[in-house]
Amino acid sequence: MSVPEIFDRAARRLRRDRAARDWAAHDFVRAVMLDGIAERLAGVKREFRDVLDLGAADRAFTLPGATITRADAGAVFAAGAVQTDEDRPAFADASFDLVVSAGVLDSVNDLPGALVLIRRALRPDGLFLGAFLGAGSLATLRAALRDADPGAARLHPQIDVRSAGDLLMRTGFALPVADGERLDVRYGDLFGLVRDLRGMAASNLLVGRSPMTRGTLARLADAFAARADADGRVPERFEIVFVTGWSPHPDQPQPARRGSATASLAAALPTPR
């Protein structure tokens, strides 16, 4: 069964190419994601030799002693590496013992398919560490859009932490974990936020999107400004979802079989007086 194309693939590649020109001025969300991935990786006591950086962008992810394959949907970010959409096959099965992905999986048309490909690219007992923007992100902008342009589809659908964990299980990962972190940013006006979203290649990629009229844009700017705090700045938030999953291996901890408990719940509870 084919998956509906929610995001415009060609526009996504083009936006990533354009964002590459001034990436360092707008990379703060990806930097937080990479820091979170590094913290989680530091807690894993093993060596990883063959690594895939999926959505490589600035190539800021490093791991001493490892051979890192870089891949990105954008031609500029993928220069000298692999250009591919994350939900299309590009790597042989069991090629890597670690896959990391920061900031791209929230705009993939077939996210379950992308996760299956990641799992298949991992060797048995290989590790996947990912991060992407999730549910609750851009809450202020969403509220302002509801006031200024009700009914228009201008922001991407979002995945919450629980759904992310469920997706890891559905796509065959062992020991799945999903958790979130919140990043708060304050803006002087709407256009500061817009510049950041464009600069991180996170602007509207929906199929069938239409340009915003000047009147709508003016109403949106006013609605956004109306949500300013006492200092005249507008708070916005980025909710980052982190996911961890392992490629299955027989030596991994396994859940207990149903009915295998040796003590009953009733025996563990205090006897009523």
Side-chain angles (χ1 to χ4, degrees):
M1 184 175 64
S2 62
V3 176
E5 294 280 295
I6 300 172
F7 302 108
D8 184 328
R9 292 179 185 269
R12 184 173 186 255
R13 299 182 194 113
L14 181 59
R15 300 280 177 83
R16 293 189 71 75
D17 286 344
R18 289 176 176 172
R21 302 169 189 170
D22 197 26
W23 181 260
H26 309 280
D27 68 346
F28 60 93
V29 174
R30 176 170 157 85
V32 172
M33 292 178 179
L34 289 176
D35 284 347
I37 287 174
E39 289 175 7
R40 288 158 177 79
L41 188 57
V44 180
K45 305 305 179 185
R46 58 174 288 186
E47 289 187 348
F48 297 99
R49 293 295 184 183
D50 297 303
V51 180
L52 172 60
D53 180 8
L54 190 60
D58 47 18
R59 310 186 184 202
F61 176 80
T62 59
L63 187 62
T67 298
I68 302 179
T69 299
R70 313 282 185 179
D72 200 279
V76 176
F77 285 144
V82 179
Q83 184 179 9
T84 183
D85 292 342
E86 296 81 357
D87 56 354
R88 291 185 169 172
F91 303 100
D93 291 357
S95 296
F96 307 102
D97 46 28
L98 172 65
V99 175
V100 298
S101 179
V104 293
L105 292 179
D106 54 307
S107 59
V108 172
N109 276 300
D110 183 6
L111 180 54
L115 292 174
V116 168
L117 290 174
I118 290 170
R119 178 180 54 77
R120 288 174 51 182
L122 285 167
R123 296 175 183 134
D125 205 31
L127 175 62
F128 167 52
L129 289 168
F132 53 87
L133 288 180
S137 296
L138 303 176
T140 305
L141 179 59
R142 286 178 181 273
L145 275 168
R146 285 194 296 270
D147 291 346
D149 198 13
R154 298 195 181 278
L155 289 176
H156 297 175
Q158 297 176 332
I159 299 170
D160 61 23
V161 169
R162 181 173 180 177
S163 297
D166 290 344
L167 272 175
L168 288 176
M169 293 185 65
R170 282 173 46 200
T171 52
F173 284 94
L175 310 174
V177 176
D179 60 290
E181 294 183 13
R182 176 170 169 172
L183 175 63
D184 293 306
V185 182
R186 296 163 73 236
Y187 287 96
D189 57 29
L190 171 68
F191 302 103
L193 172 59
V194 169
R195 284 191 293 271
D196 273 344
L197 293 178
R198 288 177 177 170
M200 63 179 76
S203 54
N204 187 0
L205 297 171
L206 295 173
V207 170
R209 65 197 177 280
S210 58
M212 192 175 292
T213 67
R214 289 185 178 181
T216 300
L217 183 58
R219 291 195 301 274
L220 177 59
D222 289 343
F224 189 80
R227 290 167 167 82
D229 58 21
D231 295 328
R233 302 186 70 80
V234 182
E236 189 56 280
R237 72 176 186 257
F238 298 86
E239 296 284 357
I240 301 173
V241 176
F242 290 94
V243 291
T244 304
W246 293 84
S247 178
H249 187 276
D251 291 343
Q252 291 167 343
Q254 302 295 319
R257 290 183 298 105
R258 181 173 294 181
S260 63
T262 58
S264 70
L265 177 61
L269 295 174
T271 303
R273 294 182 181 274

